[in-house]
């Protein structure tokens, strides 16, 4: 269940970032639009890195590597 929630969170962040970026571009604030996009990307990458860490821990425990 947790992975489905994460997929919805990532989709929500992507949707909010796209809307915010579009609005900022309409108001001629391209610099802020880029910063908003980078902020959304940073949040999602942080979640993905945490998931990869969990995956590596599970692989180590399954194969008893350390």
């Amino acid at each position: 269940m947790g992975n489905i929630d994460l997929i919805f969170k990532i989709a929500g962040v992507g949707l909010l970032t796209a809307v915010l970026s579009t609005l900022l571009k309409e108001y001629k604030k391209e610099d802020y639009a880029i910063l908003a996009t980078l902020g959304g990307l940073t949040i999602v990458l942080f979640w993905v890195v945490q998931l990869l860490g969990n995956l590596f821990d599970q692989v180590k425990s399954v194969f008893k590597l350390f």
Side-chain angles (χ1 to χ4, degrees):
M1 271 306 202
N3 291 337
I4 293 174
D5 293 338
L6 184 66
I7 291 171
F8 284 131
K9 283 182 184 178
I10 290 172
V13 169
L15 186 64
L16 287 174
T17 302
V19 169
L20 184 61
S21 177
T22 303
L23 285 174
L24 288 170
K25 285 181 182 178
E26 286 291 321
Y27 289 115
K28 306 291 188 228
K29 304 286 185 182
E30 286 86 12
D31 295 338
Y32 292 123
I34 292 171
L35 287 176
T37 303
L38 287 175
L41 180 67
T42 303
I43 291 170
V44 170
L45 284 177
F46 182 71
W47 289 337
V48 170
V49 166
Q50 283 182 338
L51 280 177
L52 286 174
N54 291 341
L55 174 67
F56 288 140
D57 288 340
Q58 288 178 356
V59 168
K60 284 194 303 188
S61 69
V62 166
F63 293 110
K64 295 177 181 46
L65 294 176
F66 292 98

